[in-house]
Structures are given as structure tokens and as C-alpha cells.
Amino acid sequence: MASPAMRRAIRVRGTVQGVGFRPTVYRLASAAHLAGFVRNDSEGVWIEIEGEPRAIARFPDLLRLEAPVLARIDGLEIAELLPLGETGFRVLGSAEEQSVQANVPADVATCAACLRELFDPSDRRYRYPFVNCTDCGPRYTIVRDVPYDRARTTMDAFTLCQRCLEEYKDPGNRRFHAEPNACPVCGPHLTFVEPGRPKLEKDEALRAAAKAIQAGKVVAVKGLGGFFLAVDPANEEAVAALRRRKRRPHKPFALMARNLEEVEKIAELTKSSRRALQSLTRPIVLLRAKPGAKVAPGVAPGLSEIGVMLPYTPLHHLLHAEGLPLLVMTSGNLSEEPIAKDNEQALEKLSAVADAFLLHDRDIHTRVDDSVFRMVDQSPQPIRRSRGLVPDSVPLLFSAPPILAVGAELKNTVCLVRGGEAYLSPHIGDLENIETFQFFEEVIGKLSRLLGVEPTAVAHDLHPDYFSTRWALKSGLPRQAVQHHHAHIGSCLAENGSRGPAIGVAFDGTGCGPAGDLWGGEILLADLAGFRRLGHLRPIALPGGEAAIREPWRLAAAALADAGVALDCLARVAPMRRSAVRQLLEKKVSTPLATGAGRWFDAVSALCGVRDEISYEGQAAVELEAIARPGDAPAYPFETEWRLEAPWEIDLRPTVRAIAADLRSATPASEMAARFHATLAVAIVQSCRCAREQFQVNTVALSGGCFQNRLLTESTRSLLESAGFAVLLHRRVPPNDGGLALGQAAIAAFRLSESQRP
Ligand code: ZN
Ligand code: ZN
Ligand code: FE
């Protein structure tokens, strides 16, 4: 005899809208002969099921097990209800409901099922560049408002045809409520524009674009989160033309490869980098380049690694299929401006860069750049966190009022706290540029609209001249100032689910200290509430201020002079310029002091003859790492007087003297580079030992842009772990200033949540 029916409600929280969750519930409920309904609402998904008790009891586990790939279940709550005698299971719409608390999902790479349709001549979406389903396609980039449904995306310009509408309404269809659903009859289309030639449409446009790239032209391609400039990476002249026109002499270009086999021809793959490349995010992954690959040296000059990604939109797959196994795919912008997203904007701004344009008529509402990862200790570490990762959140350990953290100046991102979650924005860029600053304001507006909260406080850097700080000062909101390196460590603690205390090693280029001095090689004792500066690298003079950052040879000169070594090691530099810098140093005019580890990397890079002048941030350090001989290298000498009354100094003058001696004996640069990395690692570990002895803290957090350096990070971590430390690294947000806003947000949230306690 059948037991009496039961009815239960299940509340599901997390990323459960726009990811095919309701069709899954429908399928599972129908298969289990359960009645009831499922609907989206303001907190996620609400399910009511009625039927046989054992099937009801099993349902939550089944749901977790069978949840769609894109869903992230953060919580399931169950409540008993009275049976209603309902028969049949229904999927209810969400259009009328407010879903301000639910998360908008990230953009997702084309799924296997859609890919099959794309290349199936009998399918109605054969070669249709906008094919998508509930498992894949654009999301964040096309959403204007919440709740996430078609009317609030840029797809509202296209009216679903009968067949698409049937798919959209059918709970059993894999396109049920796929908001960007489209087909060649009703959806967006391609256009190819080449000045002086007639416009081409649809498939002709695609083929013409591929031909143009093959002919060595630069083609601006409208992608998912913005425009890309595509050229043939095997064509040295095309790559050189792109560099010239973009005024980007050295900064590496990323490549897109048709599939893993193509990646394997040009780069070394490991199990974990393979997995990172294929993840739903489809990021750019920095990989060791294979010598002799058919890639022009101009793609990543001076580097041993290249950035590679796999195609993530149907359009990419179609371009590759036109006989282009590899493409240079670099952001469609001018130097440091934000990536272009509108057709007119691209035609105007990129006309001096691109020979032709592959456009389409689906608007991009929010631009996103590609996400970039580097493998550190066989696991991916973000360097830039954007497409496919936003608007995902980092959970905090406590709940706080809505705080907006506005980040740093370069590689800016912002972060908004809602309840116990911190939402880090996509990469915004360098704020000194007016277009980027507008984008910064746009992202703030969009983030608070999507999350349905207005910030009631703002967290910012101590640097008074950062555009983000100025914005915070003008916002009229209550403010929380957070020191730059404290924020770096706060970011690392927050993403590791810790509130400290930890020994924080914050190594970066420059950040503002509490007294307006320049910091960047800092050993801190920190938690989310505050910090104490325990030690730092010896300050290095910056002869000429900003000029010293663009011309690392000036830093080499300063380091030599400081160590009492003659400047003739820098024989490459014209004697006039050398003596001008010597005078600045002697008179102490225009020579601010900075403790930045990044500045020491610059100095040593120039000393070793690797890089005297840079064209992109971090270039000297990146190239120094690239030439460093792999394997163990002995550290150079350095001196420290461990003390506690005042911060100790890691004195690198003995290091500089040893490098100068190595230069005289013609030691290879690869050897010196390796030994300098080892020196910093040893200095960090000794500092941490000293801090542990004094404060009984055994956890070390490594943060700041210098920890993008794999050699430094891996050697430091391994030495620390052998010394018994627990080491926290960045895995969810970048160690560079792109992750800073998370730290500002966590620290401000912690302070405000503390102060609100009775
Ligand atoms: Zn799909
Ligand atoms: Zn259609
Ligand atoms: Fe920094």
C-alpha cells in the first residue's frame, strides 16, 4: 500500500538563475513522479514537491548531484507543508517577480551540444555565430538589469521566431528560458566592413574576415565582451604592423588556438594547465612557449611564455574553421583605454589600427576583458579576473553593511559588499585615462544595480592622488581609508577565508605608506582590523621620480651608488645621462626613496643588462624572471639587524656589490637573475622566522604584484613550508592591484561589522 503523500518546500540559494536550473528540477521531479512547481524568486529558486515520502526525502541529494554545470548551490533549506493533492509538475515564470538578491551568472563558453549544431549542415543553426543554450552563451555582458530575463538584456531587440519561442517555453527543451536564444531567422547577424568596399553580410562576412586575416590584415572582431584585434600570428609583418599601430612595442599579445592539439604545437601543457584552458571560463593561460613554434617572435618578445586561450564563442569556432588554427586576439583598444564595445565607437577609434571590421548587431551592455591566469605550483593563479569570473563573489566570514571599495589606480577593480559576500568587479584598467575613469563610474553603477544595494560607505587607498581616492572623497559617503599593503594582505586573507593574524609579505611596485612615504617591500603583522610594520626592504632612490620607473637603469645607478660601487658597470648608458643621474643622487634632488620590491627587480634587471627602459608596467621584472636559470641557485648575501623597537631593514647593498663583482667576472645574466630571486626568498623566510619567534604567528600571506612572479612565489612558498609555516597564496583574485579592492572591502567590512556590535 502506498504511504500518504507529503509536501515539502525547498529554498535553493546561490547562482541558480539563468543556468538551466528550473528545467533540471522539472526533469528530476517528473522522473520521480512528484507533483508541485518550481519558480525563480528574489532569493533564488523556490521548489514545492508533493508525492511519495521516500522520493521527497531523496530529492535534495538528487538536486545537488544533478545540478546544472553552471549552477552553484550555496544553501538548501527545507520546510514541511500540507499536501494539496496536486498532480503534475509545473515550471512557473519569473518575469513578473523581483529577484534582486539572486546572482546574475557569468558569461559561459559555447557548450558541446551547441558546437555540434554549429557544424551540422542539417541543423537549422548550421554556421550560425550566435548559437547558445541554457548551458552556454552570453550573460553578464548583455544584462541591463535584474531579474535576469530576456527583456532586461540587449537581446530584447530581437523578437523570437515561432520555433525559437517554442524551445524557450518548453521545460523539456535544452533552450528552456535560455534568454539569449536566437537563430538565423530571428537573431543577430554579422557584417563585414572594409573601407572602400561593399558591405558583406552573414556567412559572406565571416569568410571575408577570415580571408583578410590570412592576407595579413588587422581585423577588428566584435566579440563577447568587446572588440578584439585579430591577426595571423605566423605573419611577422602583420604582427609588427599591429604593434606599430597600437603603439605597443613589447607588451605580449595573447593567442587563441583552435583546440588543445594546436596549443600543444606551440606551448608546453601540463594536466593542470590543460584543465585551466578548458574550464568554462576559458581564460588566457600563460604557458611555456615551445622553441621553433610557428609563431612570430613579435608576439611575446623577450619572454619565455605565451598567453593562449581556447575559443569561447561560436564566432571564434567559425573563424578557426576557416583555416586559421591560431589567431592573435588582443583587446581592441588604444594603449591603456578600455576595450571598445559599440560598433560606431570601434569604427571611429580603431580605424587607425584595423584594416577591416567584423561587426554584429547584438549590443554589448558591459564590456569585459579576457581573464588571465598563470600556473603557480601547478595551480592557476589569476593575474586579471574578468570574463567568466564576474560577477561571482568571495564569501566573507561576517556580514556587513553595503561597502564599496574603489581599489587602486592601475589595474583598477572595485568591490561591493552585500551581506556576507564581496563582489569584485571585472578588470577596469588604469584610471589616469579619462575613458577608463568613465568606465569605472559605469561599473560602480552597474554593480550596485545588479546586486540591488546602494553603498552606504566607501573604502579607499591612502594615496590622495589616485583617481579612485578622489572619487571616494567626493562621494559624500562615510569613508574608510585602508593602507595599500594592508589591503593586499587583507585581500589574500579574505579569499582564503581567514581574518588573520598572519605575517603579511606585501611585495609590489609602489604604494603609499601612512606618512605619505613610498612602500612596497613590506613585512607586516596583519589581520583584518589592522597591521604593524615589522620590516621592509632597504629603500632605493628614484632619481628623477617617475622617470626612474620608466627607465630602470636609473634605479641600477641608484643601487650602485648606494652600495658604494662605481657606475661604470652601466657602460651601456651614455656617460652624459649617467653623470646627470649621479648628480641627482649626490644632491638628493628629485630622488624620492621607495622600499618597493618591484623597484629592486627593476634595478637588478638593468644591472644584469636585461632591460634599461620599459614600455609596459613590470616589463623589466618579467624579463628578468624569464631569463632566470631554472633550478636551485644560492642566495646573494644581504644584511639585517633584527630588532623590534622599529621596523628592521633588509639591506640589499651586499647583494648589489656581489652582482657588480659577478658582472666584472662576466657571470651569465641567467645566473645572476636566479640568485637575486633566491636572495629575496631567503630574506622573506628569515623575516618570517623572526616574526614567528616574536609573535607566535605561524601563517604567512604572500600578496602584491611581485607574487605574480612564479619563480619568487614557488621558491618562497617551498622554503616557508619547509620551515613549518602555513602559506596563503592568491587563487581567486589577482595578487596585484587588481585584487586590492577585495582587501579594502574586507578590512572596511570587518571594522564596520565590529563597530556595529553592541
Ligand atoms: Zn549551449
Ligand atoms: Zn529564431
Ligand atoms: Fe600594489
Side-chain angles (χ1 to χ4, degrees):
M1 198 181 83
S3 39
M6 273 176 78
R7 190 176 178 91
R8 266 182 189 170
I10 306 175
R11 147 72 61 221
V12 193
R13 289 178 216 280
T15 306
V16 288
Q17 294 188 7
V19 292
F21 204 82
R22 286 178 297 167
T24 304
V25 174
Y26 173 86
R27 184 169 57 77
L28 295 175
S30 310
H33 304 290
L34 293 171
F37 67 86
V38 55
R39 69 172 148 83
N40 287 345
D41 67 9
S42 61
E43 289 167 69
V45 164
W46 181 263
I47 305 167
E48 292 190 15
I49 41 175
E50 179 167 342
E52 200 263 320
R54 268 193 313 184
I56 299 247
R58 255 199 316 265
F59 201 76
D61 286 340
L62 214 55
L63 204 55
R64 284 190 189 275
L65 219 62
E66 303 265 315
V69 275
L70 304 182
R72 190 185 86 186
I73 299 180
D74 291 339
L76 277 183
E77 287 158 42
I78 296 165
E80 300 295 334
L81 301 172
L82 285 174
L84 299 175
E86 204 174 357
T87 55
F89 195 86
R90 293 168 297 150
V91 178
L92 305 181
S94 68
E96 325 72 43
E97 295 145 22
Q98 282 302 306
S99 65
V100 284
Q101 290 285 311
N103 294 346
V104 172
D107 304 292
V108 186
T110 313
C111 74
C114 287
L115 212 51
R116 269 195 301 277
E117 292 180 1
L118 185 65
F119 291 107
D120 174 2
S122 68
D123 194 275
R124 71 190 190 94
R125 291 187 177 87
Y126 177 55
R127 293 182 65 83
Y128 181 57
F130 303 92
V131 54
N132 67 80
C133 71
T134 39
D135 282 344
C136 74
R139 300 280 190 280
Y140 178 74
T141 49
I142 59 166
V143 177
R144 275 197 295 256
D145 211 341
V146 287
Y148 171 64
D149 65 22
R150 188 172 176 107
R152 293 175 185 84
T153 70
T154 60
M155 282 304 290
D156 71 338
F158 303 92
T159 307
L160 288 165
C161 69
Q162 197 49 44
R163 293 179 77 177
C164 286
L165 187 64
E166 276 162 20
E167 295 167 340
Y168 183 85
K169 282 179 156 176
D170 172 8
N173 193 285
R174 67 184 194 88
R175 294 199 164 89
F176 174 68
H177 271 272
E179 307 303 342
N181 191 22
C183 79
V185 175
C186 66
H189 283 293
L190 295 177
T191 316
F192 183 70
V193 177
E194 189 173 2
R197 301 203 177 182
K199 253 190 205 175
L200 297 173
E201 304 275 334
K202 303 183 183 176
D203 218 30
E204 280 198 318
L206 179 92
R207 293 186 204 271
K211 278 212 184 74
I213 296 168
Q214 273 154 347
K217 291 181 181 166
V218 177
V219 179
V221 179
K222 187 177 186 178
L224 182 70
F227 273 81
F228 287 85
L229 294 163
V231 301
D232 175 2
N235 187 331
E236 182 73 66
E237 273 169 51
V239 172
L242 179 59
R243 288 212 173 275
R244 217 169 35 244
R245 297 182 201 169
K246 245 195 129 182
R247 276 181 246 129
R248 177 161 153 165
H250 309 112
K251 199 176 177 185
F253 289 142
L255 298 181
M256 184 177 273
R258 182 176 189 173
N259 49 34
L260 280 178
E261 290 76 72
E262 294 297 334
V263 180
E264 201 126 46
K265 288 181 192 166
I266 57 168
E268 311 212 347
L269 281 173
T270 60
K271 215 168 138 193
S272 45
S273 58
R274 219 179 268 269
R275 203 181 309 130
L277 279 168
Q278 288 176 292
S279 69
L280 290 172
T281 302
R282 289 288 198 279
I284 295 173
V285 181
L286 302 184
L287 302 168
R288 181 162 288 281
K290 273 188 185 162
K294 277 191 199 138
V295 173
V299 169
L303 301 180
S304 52
E305 290 185 327
I306 42 169
V308 188
M309 63 186 142
L310 291 174
Y312 54 85
T313 70
L315 178 57
H316 297 148
H317 288 284
L318 290 169
L319 275 174
H320 283 306
E322 290 300 299
L324 288 163
L326 287 176
L327 289 165
V328 164
M329 277 287 206
T330 188
S331 318
N333 57 359
L334 299 174
S335 56
E336 297 302 323
E337 285 186 6
I339 185 167
K341 73 176 177 71
D342 302 323
N343 290 351
E344 307 74 54
Q345 192 190 17
L347 287 167
E348 181 202 317
K349 290 230 167 199
L350 301 178
S351 60
V353 185
D355 299 300
F357 296 81
L358 184 59
L359 309 170
H360 63 70
D361 52 355
R362 182 179 73 202
D363 286 345
I364 298 168
H365 184 66
T366 306
R367 53 166 71 82
V368 284
D369 293 80
D370 290 317
S371 293
V372 184
F373 281 87
R374 194 172 191 205
M375 305 307 289
V376 172
D377 273 331
Q378 290 304 314
S379 294
Q381 178 188 70
I383 289 179
R384 185 166 75 195
R385 186 182 168 281
S386 273
R387 176 181 50 74
L389 296 169
V390 290
D392 223 2
S393 59
V394 177
L396 299 174
L397 296 170
F398 42 85
S399 194
I403 294 160
L404 173 71
V406 292
E409 175 88 338
L410 303 179
K411 299 188 171 71
N412 179 275
T413 58
V414 299
C415 185
L416 187 56
V417 175
R418 185 181 72 184
E421 303 275 320
Y423 293 81
L424 194 64
S425 78
H427 168 78
I428 295 173
D430 298 352
L431 296 184
E432 57 210 6
N433 181 310
I434 181 111
E435 271 86 0
T436 316
F437 188 70
Q438 284 163 355
F439 181 40
F440 165 83
E441 295 196 306
E442 194 184 306
V443 168
I444 291 174
K446 169 135 192 177
L447 205 55
S448 47
R449 196 159 51 250
L450 286 186
L451 298 179
V453 289
E454 280 295 322
T456 56
V458 60
H460 61 84
D461 197 270
L462 289 183
H463 200 302
D465 295 330
Y466 281 180
F467 282 96
S468 53
T469 308
R470 289 196 210 160
W471 186 93
L473 293 175
K474 275 196 252 164
S475 68
L477 294 168
R479 288 180 287 115
Q480 287 279 328
V482 181
Q483 197 276 327
H484 191 93
H485 302 94
H486 184 208
H488 272 307
I489 301 305
S491 166
C492 188
L493 290 175
E495 74 149 85
N496 283 286
S498 164
R499 56 179 82 184
I503 303 162
V505 182
F507 274 24
D508 65 0
T510 333
C512 194
D517 41 351
L518 303 176
W519 286 16
E522 311 306 314
I523 313 288
L524 312 176
L525 180 67
D527 58 19
L528 291 184
F531 74 96
R532 170 174 168 178
R533 191 190 203 196
L534 299 179
H536 56 79
L537 295 180
R538 179 174 175 83
I540 184 168
L542 274 50
E546 285 290 310
I549 294 175
R550 289 189 303 272
E551 297 176 19
W553 72 267
R554 290 170 181 256
L555 293 162
L560 288 171
D562 186 36
V565 183
L567 300 199
D568 51 13
C569 300
L570 291 172
R572 299 176 309 277
V573 180
M576 285 261 291
R577 304 185 79 195
R578 255 188 292 163
S579 69
V581 160
R582 192 187 303 117
Q583 277 179 22
L584 287 180
L585 288 166
E586 277 164 8
K587 291 182 189 146
K588 295 199 166 62
V589 179
S590 182
T591 51
L593 291 171
T595 57
R599 299 289 86 84
W600 279 101
F601 269 104
D602 289 351
V604 172
S605 182
L607 263 182
C608 299
V610 174
R611 175 67 44 196
D612 284 332
E613 294 183 14
I614 61 165
S615 72
Y616 63 91
E617 201 217 341
Q619 185 179 7
V622 168
E623 292 184 3
L624 186 72
E625 185 196 354
I627 63 142
R629 175 179 65 74
D632 285 337
Y636 282 122
F638 62 93
E639 277 166 22
T640 308
E641 187 196 325
W642 308 107
R643 55 180 183 182
L644 283 172
E645 357 30 285
W648 66 70
E649 176 183 291
I650 298 164
D651 184 354
L652 294 176
R653 283 176 298 181
T655 309
V656 174
R657 287 191 280 268
I659 293 175
D662 272 354
L663 278 169
R664 264 176 248 120
S665 63
T667 305
S670 60
E671 182 70 26
M672 295 186 283
R675 292 194 65 184
F676 177 67
H677 281 81
T679 309
L680 290 183
V682 170
I684 290 170
V685 177
Q686 289 192 7
S687 296
C688 293
R689 280 177 180 277
C690 177
R692 175 166 63 186
E693 245 162 64
Q694 293 302 321
F695 302 100
Q696 283 76 50
V697 172
N698 197 48
T699 301
V700 180
L702 302 179
S703 191
C706 292
F707 290 104
Q708 275 170 227
N709 183 316
R710 177 177 39 231
L711 185 54
L712 178 69
T713 311
E714 290 181 351
S715 53
T716 305
R717 181 198 198 172
S718 110
L719 288 177
L720 283 170
E721 287 180 347
S722 336
F725 286 100
V727 182
L728 306 180
L729 298 180
H730 282 280
R731 294 297 184 201
R732 301 182 71 164
V733 308
N736 59 44
D737 284 5
L740 199 78
L742 172 66
Q744 294 174 341
I747 290 165
F750 186 74
R751 288 177 187 161
L752 291 176
S753 67
E754 286 285 272
S755 65
Q756 282 185 348
R757 270 176 219 164

